[in-house]
């Protein structure tokens, strides 16, 4: 739904993979997304917030995995 995606774009860079929306470079509060979408009648099936550490971020840039 374009209306929902427009709202989510205000929180960062979007990518859509099937029914999953990923927001990178997230700027805001995760609970604010849920509240804003709920007010408009959207129901969130699941919500996951992951923060990438500096080492993982750097390795993703150069194409390697940590571990």
């Amino acid at each position: 739904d374009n209306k929902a995606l427009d709202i989510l774009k205000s929180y960062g860079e979007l990518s859509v993979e099937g029914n999953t929306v990923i927001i990178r470079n997230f700027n805001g509060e995760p609970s604010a997304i849920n509240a804003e979408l709920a007010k408009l009648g959207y129901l969130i099936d699941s919500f996951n917030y992951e923060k990438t550490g500096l080492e993982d971020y750097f390795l993703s840039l150069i194409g390697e995995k940590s571990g």
Side-chain angles (χ1 to χ4, degrees):
D1 183 306
N2 288 336
K3 188 174 184 180
L5 293 176
D6 286 341
I7 291 167
L8 295 173
K9 284 178 188 175
S10 68
Y11 290 94
E13 300 169 23
L14 295 188
S15 63
V16 179
E17 298 175 8
N19 290 332
T20 302
V21 177
I22 299 170
I23 304 173
R24 289 185 173 79
N25 298 320
F26 182 74
N27 184 20
E29 291 296 320
S31 60
I33 291 175
N34 196 32
E36 190 170 355
L37 292 175
K39 276 192 246 181
L40 296 172
Y42 294 101
L43 299 176
I44 306 299
D45 189 35
S46 66
F47 193 95
N48 188 15
Y49 179 72
E50 293 182 21
K51 209 173 193 181
T52 303
L54 185 57
E55 179 183 5
D56 288 335
Y57 176 71
F58 174 74
L59 292 173
S60 74
L61 290 175
I62 62 171
E64 295 184 18
K65 293 184 179 182
S66 63

